[in-house]
Amino acid sequence: MSDHANEMSRPLNRRDFLKSSAGMAGALSGAALAGCSEMRGMGAGFGPEPVARPMDVVRIAYVGVGGMGTGHVGNLLKIEGAEIRVVCDIREKAVANAQQLCVEAGKPKPEGVCAGPRGYLKICDREDIDLVYTATPWEFHTPVCVAAMKAGKHAATEVPAAITTEECWELVETSEKTGKYCMMMENCCYGRTELMVLNMVRKGLFGELLHGECGYLHDLRGSKFNGHGGALWRTAYSIKRNANLYPTHGLGPVAQYMNINRGDRFDYLVSMSGPSRGLNEYCAKRFGPDSPQARQKYALGDVNVTLIKTYNGLTIYLVHDCNLPRPYSRINTIQGIKGIFEDYPPRIHIEGRTEGHEWETLEKYQEEFDHPLYKKMADKSKGAGHGGMDFIEDYRLIECLRTGQPTDQDVYDAASWSVVTALTETSVANRSRSVDFPDFTRGRWKTRPPLGIIEG
């Protein structure tokens, strides 16, 4: 391995640095880590932010029609102006099921493509497609989106949008070069509570924001070993990566509260993981102490804790906790100089409105602060996945494309929220030394307007 001081003595562009640093994470010093993300953006030109022309109908190719993909197909069939032209998967049964959903909804049967892991390449060049939307395993998210944008199509992906820092840059640069949108479909930004809290933040209820807490705390032991779905690929990351593997569900809403990439940005983080015990204990009980699953070494610490500092000085506590018995939570806390909100269960304290030092229920504020988007979509989203938030996010994607608006979450959000996995992996491997965030906006965050309160 080359000496880092020698590497730093010669000029580096961002691409060269990323390639040379891929195998060096375990040996980089804290000082070097602090400077890396600054160098990643040096000397790199950038194009204009993508702007899309309105379109009456959004013609869609859907790649990966398993569990989440099937749910999104079902939503899109109910959204005006959305047409599913192609469905693609490595399994013929999944393709046939998605086609049948379309027929049962009274829509034309979409073409089915079942051509192996790179079958999506067969559909990106089609002239009758405007949007390529993917819900494949994580490692395919960036390749599908990049191929789509290079072929002149907008792209949308399930979370996370990317699994490496280089992939995050690839998404940003491809979107800017092609002028095509790339939206990471972070459904938790469209939950009723998250939308309501965003409305409260925008109306100044909490005053100046100072601190947020968030995470993904979800007992996934059963789903990691059920033999299908995420078990076919999610478990592999528990074996090979020690990091916050799934940051965006908790972090996305808090980032929107704090105007990240729109007046502020993530500056740096520190991260640490505890021991890895949960999966071995679970597998020993389920499969036997001598089973391959129980004897497997899992790199992922059962609890990963990360602290993020923003450029403007705000702090964020972020946690990943998926290998232990526990109730579900995303924490979803925001605190300002006038008050605080905490979720799971939802409760609020506002100085001057709340008596004493007690909590109030969020319901007391619902009539005044319920988000207009949720109120408009409440009936239409009933029965959709995750309490209706999946339908609302799909609706907003199509609505933005049809009207020519920027998407609510853009490629800079996709990169900034997803890159947390790679950065935490580096920090954990280096005794929790701080790691800088790349500025994927290259300074645009200073002047980009905050996300507004969307009416519909």
Side-chain angles (χ1 to χ4, degrees), residues 89-97 99 114:
D89 201 285
I90 62 173
R91 300 156 300 173
E92 292 182 359
K93 184 176 180 180
V95 170
N97 180 60
Q99 290 174 314
C114 186

Side-chain angles (χ1 to χ4, degrees), residues 167-433:
E167 283 190 343
C168 291
W169 276 114
E170 188 176 12
L171 289 174
V172 169
E173 292 173 347
T174 304
S175 178
E176 291 176 343
K177 183 177 180 179
T178 62
K180 296 302 176 181
Y181 290 153
C182 180
M183 179 174 175
M184 181 176 70
M185 304 300 289
E186 182 41 76
N187 58 348
C188 294
C189 291
Y190 296 93
R192 184 178 191 178
T193 297
E194 287 82 358
L195 286 171
M196 183 174 170
V197 173
L198 179 63
N199 197 23
M200 291 175 164
V201 168
R202 292 293 185 265
K203 292 187 176 180
L205 191 67
F206 302 101
E208 179 186 355
L209 299 185
L210 302 172
H211 177 70
E213 298 184 11
C214 51
Y216 188 62
L217 303 94
H218 189 186
D219 184 354
L220 293 177
R221 295 174 299 167
S223 63
K224 287 184 178 183
F225 297 97
N226 63 11
H228 60 85
L232 302 177
W233 43 272
R234 186 190 289 270
T235 310
Y237 288 89
S238 298
I239 294 172
K240 65 185 179 181
R241 302 189 77 173
N242 191 7
N244 187 316
L245 296 182
Y246 209 58
T248 70
H249 277 346
L251 188 58
V254 170
Q256 289 191 337
Y257 304 155
M258 292 183 171
N259 293 331
I260 298 301
N261 294 328
R262 296 169 173 83
D264 199 357
R265 73 174 183 91
F266 297 139
D267 192 3
Y268 63 91
L269 62 72
V270 296
S271 185
M272 63 181 67
S273 293
S276 176
R277 301 285 188 272
L279 295 183
N280 293 105
E281 289 289 325
Y282 174 83
C283 291
K285 292 178 181 178
R286 178 172 173 180
F287 304 110
D290 295 323
S291 64
Q293 298 94 328
R295 296 173 66 86
Q296 174 69 53
K297 183 177 180 180
Y298 299 95
L300 178 65
D302 293 337
V303 179
N304 173 272
V305 175
T306 300
L307 296 176
I308 299 174
K309 193 74 174 287
T310 77
Y311 185 89
N312 290 341
L314 282 65
T315 53
I316 302 171
Y317 166 85
L318 172 67
V319 62
H320 181 272
D321 179 353
C322 295
N323 293 345
L324 299 170
R326 59 157 304 113
Y328 182 90
S329 174
R330 295 193 301 274
I331 307 178
N332 192 29
T333 291
I334 193 68
Q335 188 169 18
I337 61 174
K338 293 182 180 180
I340 184 172
F341 168 78
E342 287 188 359
D343 211 344
Y344 300 91
R347 50 192 176 162
I348 190 169
H349 177 96
I350 302 297
E351 191 172 50
R353 294 182 64 146
T354 309
E355 293 184 7
H357 300 283
E358 305 298 323
W359 290 102
E360 294 183 278
T361 63
L362 189 63
E363 285 79 4
K364 292 185 178 181
Y365 290 75
Q366 187 169 295
E367 183 176 353
E368 184 177 357
F369 293 104
D370 220 0
H371 197 289
L373 175 62
Y374 177 82
K375 289 191 288 187
K376 177 178 179 178
M377 302 303 299
D379 290 338
K380 293 181 180 180
S381 64
K382 283 182 179 178
H386 299 97
M389 62 173 70
D390 293 358
F391 181 88
I392 297 176
E393 70 169 343
D394 287 332
Y395 166 80
R396 278 299 299 166
L397 169 64
I398 300 304
E399 182 70 7
C400 289
L401 292 177
R402 293 187 71 200
T403 59
Q405 303 174 52
T407 53
D408 304 336
Q409 302 155 35
D410 58 26
V411 71
Y412 306 112
D413 299 321
S416 298
W417 303 354
S418 297
V419 78
V420 169
T421 296
L423 302 188
T424 55
E425 186 174 36
T426 298
S427 182
V428 168
N430 288 274
R431 303 186 76 245
S432 304
R433 294 186 176 120

Side-chain angles (χ1 to χ4, degrees), residues 74-184:
N75 293 336
L76 293 166
L77 290 170
K78 301 173 185 177
I79 297 173
E80 183 180 356
E83 286 187 2
I84 299 176
R85 294 291 183 93
V86 185
V87 290
C88 174
D89 201 285
I90 62 173
R91 300 156 300 173
E92 292 182 359
K93 184 176 180 180
V95 170
N97 180 60
Q99 290 174 314
Q100 185 62 26
L101 284 177
C102 297
V103 173
E104 291 176 355
K107 306 291 185 178
K109 181 180 178 180
E111 182 178 336
V113 173
C114 186
R118 295 174 65 83
Y120 61 89
L121 295 174
K122 293 182 175 292
I123 63 178
C124 287
D125 287 331
R126 292 176 56 136
E127 294 184 359
D128 61 339
I129 298 297
D130 305 303
L131 167 69
V132 178
Y133 190 163
T134 183
T136 53
W138 297 347
E139 60 265 31
F140 293 102
H141 290 182
T142 293
V144 172
C145 289
V146 168
M149 289 186 286
K150 285 183 176 180
K153 314 300 188 293
H154 298 296
T157 176
E158 261 294 342
V159 301
I163 55 177
T164 68
T165 304
E166 176 64 18
E167 283 190 343
C168 291
W169 276 114
E170 188 176 12
L171 289 174
V172 169
E173 292 173 347
T174 304
S175 178
E176 291 176 343
K177 183 177 180 179
T178 62
K180 296 302 176 181
Y181 290 153
C182 180
M183 179 174 175
M184 181 176 70

